[in-house]
Amino acid sequence: MKAFEYAAPRTEAEILQVMSAEPGATEVLAGGTDLVGLMKKMLVTPDRVVNIMDVPTLKTIDELPDGSISIGAAVTLDLILDHPYLDVYPAVKQAIRGINSMQLQCQGTLGGEICQRPRCWFYRNGLGLLGTQADQGANQYHAILGNAGPAKFVNSSRIAPALIALDAQVRVIGPGEEDEAWLPVSEFFRTPRHDGQREHVLQPQQVVTHVILPPIAGRTCATYEVRDSEGPDYPLAAASVALRFDGFGIIHEAKVVMGQVAPTPWNSQEAARLLIGHAVDSQRAEQAGLAAVRMASPLSENQYKVQLAKVAVKRAVLLAAGQDPGGF
Ligand SMILES: Cc1cc2nc3c(=O)[nH]c(=O)nc-3n(C[C@H](O)[C@H](O)[C@H](O)COP(=O)(O)OP(=O)(O)OC[C@H]3O[C@@H](n4cnc5c(N)ncnc54)[C@H](O)[C@@H]3O)c2cc1C
């Protein structure tokens, strides 16, 4: 590991004072479950690590005056699982439960979960993130959507699809001490086009401080993951769905967001369109799944993910509608 300076700010203003404007010179340390491994492998080599876990404002879950729920970026995932304010957002809790490791849930934070680096094994083995040989083989866990450019990896966050389906926002501070922005989680992620770009839109001196979930306001939601084991591993495909029904069981609003299929969480408007104006039954859910993967362009070894992503959408729709999703 490269030697580095360590900073432990106590306030949001102090965080910004110790962040560098130079890309890669400072890294935020939250639970460290991802960052420390990357630093040990010298894939990330900051001059300074900024531990945000001693900043009290980043460690609370609060109800805002409009009924939104604000979750600090340094809140650990186990606290989110246990918190009664979040019972009305089962899609979020289901995604966290999927991690299926008490150690990771107790150590990993919400900010770290959405900012974690891709699990792409080319990247993790020092072969870079973009323009890798992923299009030629060993791509069974790579993207089936949004993969036309040099990015073939999938976004690793399990929780982000649920946050996007629920119209959540992130609060970002920096680069200046007075700077603060709220942006939809759907606009937080991007597909990098060159090596200097990250998988999110944060500038080097910007930090996520909170995730804000708007009031559930009558919506229902669910996350469904297709996994190859029960262990603490990433799903092969996942979907989070939020639905609003009218008084007659007809879907009035729908959001369908897939995870682990593209370099960003993948918001399928095609699937949402198929749901709006209809009641949910197995056939309608299946059609939504089909629509969600219609534009898929699998690589040489991940054709199977198309079927899994379709199933994930179908079952997330059924779960969100309070119906038996089938399966195991
Ligand atoms: C063995 C193992 C298995 C894992 N399995 C899973 C799994 O099954 N599912 C899963 O989802 N995850 C898994 N993870 C990944 C990861 O541990 C978790 O997702 C965790 O939530 C990351 O949070 P953290 O606080 O530890 O992040 P850290 O490691 O502290 O940070 C991760 C990244 O986010 C950045 N960051 C952190 N907080 C902020 C912030 N507030 N603003 C800006 N940038 C920030 C850091 O600089 C770093 O680049 C696994 C990790 C390990 C080591």
Side-chain angles (χ1 to χ4, degrees), residues 239-315:
S240 294
V241 168
L243 303 173
R244 189 190 304 282
F245 289 90
D246 67 11
F248 305 98
I250 302 297
I251 297 174
H252 188 56
E253 278 176 44
K255 282 263 173 71
V256 178
V257 186
M258 288 182 281
Q260 317 292 328
V261 295
T264 61
W266 194 264
N267 187 355
S268 175
Q269 289 172 4
E270 299 84 352
R273 268 198 297 273
L274 257 167
L275 293 169
I276 293 170
H278 298 276
V280 173
D281 60 18
S282 181
Q283 200 183 358
R284 181 58 51 181
E286 168 101 15
Q287 285 170 353
L290 271 171
V293 296
R294 191 156 291 134
M295 300 301 285
S297 52
L299 303 170
S300 57
E301 296 174 18
N302 67 5
Q303 173 73 39
Y304 75 99
K305 284 185 71 167
V306 177
Q307 169 69 9
L308 301 191
K310 187 192 89 175
V311 169
V313 169
K314 175 184 176 183
R315 293 185 181 171

Side-chain angles (χ1 to χ4, degrees), residues 123-307:
Y123 170 64
R124 298 271 164 173
N125 284 297
L127 298 172
L129 187 59
L130 302 178
T132 61
Q133 294 156 2
D135 50 351
Q136 293 160 36
N139 49 34
Q140 52 268 51
Y141 301 122
H142 285 73
I144 56 169
L145 284 158
N147 57 5
K152 310 291 184 200
F153 64 87
V154 296
N155 184 280
S156 294
S157 175
R158 293 175 107 117
I159 305 174
L163 298 177
I164 294 171
L166 288 161
D167 298 319
Q169 297 196 296
V170 282
R171 176 178 178 261
V172 172
I173 55 168
E177 274 186 46
E178 304 297 315
D179 295 330
E180 170 191 344
W182 290 40
L183 74 156
V185 179
S186 57
E187 293 173 19
F188 179 72
F189 297 98
R190 67 158 168 220
T191 301
R193 298 282 165 204
H194 56 79
D195 284 332
Q197 285 184 333
R198 290 284 282 257
E199 308 81 55
H200 51 61
V201 299
L202 290 184
Q203 300 297 312
Q205 268 176 306
Q206 287 185 313
V207 174
V208 175
T209 64
H210 296 84
V211 170
I212 300 98
L213 280 159
I216 193 73
R219 291 172 295 170
T220 61
C221 65
T223 293
Y224 191 94
E225 296 184 338
V226 181
R227 299 191 286 256
D228 66 358
S229 73
E230 286 299 314
D233 210 348
Y234 289 81
L236 299 167
S240 294
V241 168
L243 303 173
R244 189 190 304 282
F245 289 90
D246 67 11
F248 305 98
I250 302 297
I251 297 174
H252 188 56
E253 278 176 44
K255 282 263 173 71
V256 178
V257 186
M258 288 182 281
Q260 317 292 328
V261 295
T264 61
W266 194 264
N267 187 355
S268 175
Q269 289 172 4
E270 299 84 352
R273 268 198 297 273
L274 257 167
L275 293 169
I276 293 170
H278 298 276
V280 173
D281 60 18
S282 181
Q283 200 183 358
R284 181 58 51 181
E286 168 101 15
Q287 285 170 353
L290 271 171
V293 296
R294 191 156 291 134
M295 300 301 285
S297 52
L299 303 170
S300 57
E301 296 174 18
N302 67 5
Q303 173 73 39
Y304 75 99
K305 284 185 71 167
V306 177
Q307 169 69 9

Side-chain angles (χ1 to χ4, degrees), residues 26-36 38 44 52-53 58 73-74 77 95 98-101 104 107-117 119 156-159 188 198 200 202 206-209 231-235 260:
T26 42
E27 288 285 342
V28 171
L29 174 71
T33 60
D34 190 29
L35 183 68
V36 173
L38 291 168
V44 175
I52 58 168
M53 297 303 281
L58 270 53
L77 302 177
I99 294 173
N100 212 10
S101 153
L104 286 170
Q107 183 72 19
T109 63
L110 182 58
E113 209 283 339
I114 63 173
C115 294
Q116 63 179 293
R117 305 305 307 273
R119 287 277 139 184
S156 294
S157 175
R158 293 175 107 117
I159 305 174
F188 179 72
R198 290 284 282 257
H200 51 61
L202 290 184
Q206 287 185 313
V207 174
V208 175
T209 64
D233 210 348
Y234 289 81
Q260 317 292 328

Side-chain angles (χ1 to χ4, degrees), residues 52-108:
I52 58 168
M53 297 303 281
D54 293 333
V55 181
T57 54
L58 270 53
K59 301 193 77 170
T60 60
I61 300 178
D62 300 302
E63 185 171 10
L64 304 182
D66 70 348
S68 297
I69 303 300
S70 166
I71 310 171
V75 171
T76 53
L77 302 177
D78 62 320
L79 296 181
I80 297 175
L81 266 187
D82 286 346
H83 204 291
Y85 283 173
L86 296 155
D87 286 348
V88 292
Y89 306 101
V92 174
K93 292 198 174 191
Q94 285 156 351
I96 295 174
R97 274 194 206 100
I99 294 173
N100 212 10
S101 153
M102 196 184 287
Q103 290 95 329
L104 286 170
Q105 289 169 354
C106 293
Q107 183 72 19

